[in-house]
Amino acid sequence: GVVAFEMLTGSLPFVHSSFTKVLMMHTTQPPPTLRSINPHIPVELEVIVLQLLSKDPNHRQQSVQELVAQLQSVKQYLPLH
């Protein structure tokens, strides 16, 4: 999820000069929406990435196959070159 977030926005979801603070942010704060950083990201893709970053493992995709199916369902919204 963090890698996808960074690939799509050019930044990490949590940034701070203190490593400990970044760890705390990861565990206690929701990540910013991708579209708040890059408004060109399709909403459908943002939903998938934010699900990958869910604090509750039960709310994340439960398999690679589930993630692939979700990504395939949104590829029509992506400007692929």
Side-chain angles (χ1 to χ4, degrees):
V2 172
V3 172
F5 188 100
E6 187 174 13
M7 287 173 53
L8 292 165
T9 66
S11 65
L12 294 169
F14 302 105
V15 178
H16 196 278
S17 59
S18 164
F19 178 72
T20 304
K21 181 70 174 172
V22 170
L23 288 177
M24 291 301 298
M25 293 167 77
H26 269 284
T27 60
T28 62
Q29 296 180 16
T33 62
L34 285 75
R35 292 173 51 81
S36 68
I37 300 167
N38 180 352
H40 302 292
I41 295 171
V43 172
E44 297 82 0
L45 183 57
E46 178 180 62
V47 168
I48 293 169
V49 175
L50 291 177
Q51 183 181 356
L52 284 166
L53 294 170
S54 176
K55 306 291 184 223
D56 184 344
N58 295 317
H59 293 149
R60 295 183 208 137
Q61 293 82 350
Q62 297 302 299
S63 68
V64 171
Q65 292 81 6
E66 181 182 349
L67 175 59
V68 168
Q70 287 178 323
L71 291 171
Q72 287 176 336
S73 74
V74 301
K75 70 180 178 183
Q76 66 202 23
Y77 303 109
L78 304 178
L80 302 174
H81 303 283

